[in-house]
């Protein structure tokens, strides 16, 4: 079985209008998929960025879910970082990438330009991984292409 690609990611075409990436719209894509599959109720598992879409879906269609499981929701999409994020970030201050990454984390909340946001996300990426080695770098480098 395959998981569906959200609008503008993977094999899905990009949205014509950027508002098409808003979580309520993505949640309605999920509702359209539920109807297409003729499901009355279903369990929904969401990870990272998909957590916000899953929460929007659960708020709009609670009667359609038998379970909602949210794993490691992406904090930047929830509107604020977890309370312990600053402590975790500062505990890594001896890393060679820290100063650049920390600066990017501070700039991200006020950034609206998509290319600049992609650049800052890559710059801040080491903060989001337990290690910053080749596999993590490759994963982080692919993320910018997925952001619409």
């Amino acid at each position: 079985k395959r998981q569906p690609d959200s609008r503008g990611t993977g094999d899905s075409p990009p949205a014509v209008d950027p508002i098409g990436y808003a979580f309520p719209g993505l949640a309605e894509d999920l509702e359209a998929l539920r109807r297409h599959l003729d499901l009355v109720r279903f369990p929904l598992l969401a990870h990272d960025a998909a957590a916000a879409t899953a929460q929007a879906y659960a708020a709009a269609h609670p009667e359609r879910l038998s379970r909602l499981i949210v794993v490691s929701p992406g904090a930047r999409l929830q509107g604020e970082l977890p309370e312990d994020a600053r402590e975790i970030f500062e505990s890594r201050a001896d890393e060679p990438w820290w100063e650049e990454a920390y600066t990017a984390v501070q700039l991200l909340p006020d950034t609206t330009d998509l290319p600049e946001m992609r650049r800052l996300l890559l710059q801040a990426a080491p903060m989001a991984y337990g290690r910053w080695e080749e596999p993590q770098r490759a994963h982080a480098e692919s993320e910018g292409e997925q952001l619409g």
Side-chain angles (χ1 to χ4, degrees):
K1 293 186 179 186
R2 286 192 50 196
Q3 68 181 28
D5 290 325
S6 295
R7 190 180 307 173
T9 65
D11 291 332
S12 289
V16 174
D17 183 340
I19 196 70
Y21 296 114
F23 299 120
L26 296 175
E28 289 311 307
D29 289 350
L30 187 55
E31 174 59 9
L33 177 62
R34 183 206 60 80
R35 286 192 308 268
H36 174 76
L37 296 174
D38 199 28
L39 299 172
V40 176
R41 291 171 50 96
F42 67 101
L44 179 56
L45 169 67
H47 172 256
D48 197 25
T53 299
Q55 290 168 325
Y57 184 84
H61 305 283
E63 72 286 356
R64 297 296 183 194
L65 294 178
S66 58
R67 287 185 174 67
L68 174 62
I69 303 164
V70 178
V71 179
S72 300
R76 72 176 180 267
L77 300 172
Q78 302 295 325
E80 59 186 60
L81 291 172
E83 292 178 20
D84 60 350
R86 185 173 306 280
E87 181 182 329
I88 293 167
F89 291 166
E90 290 176 359
S91 74
R92 302 177 78 190
D94 60 341
E95 297 285 353
W97 45 257
W98 186 85
E99 189 172 332
E100 184 178 89
Y102 193 76
T103 298
V105 167
Q106 303 305 311
L107 295 172
L108 271 166
D110 298 321
T111 303
T112 57
D113 178 67
L114 186 56
E116 178 65 4
M117 187 176 293
R118 286 177 171 147
R119 187 188 70 75
L120 289 171
L121 284 170
L122 184 57
Q123 187 176 319
M127 295 286 200
Y129 294 87
R131 296 181 187 159
W132 190 238
E133 297 169 354
E134 186 52 39
Q136 293 81 11
R137 285 186 179 104
H139 182 263
E141 287 173 8
S142 72
E143 184 181 39
E145 297 168 9
Q146 299 176 46
L147 295 176

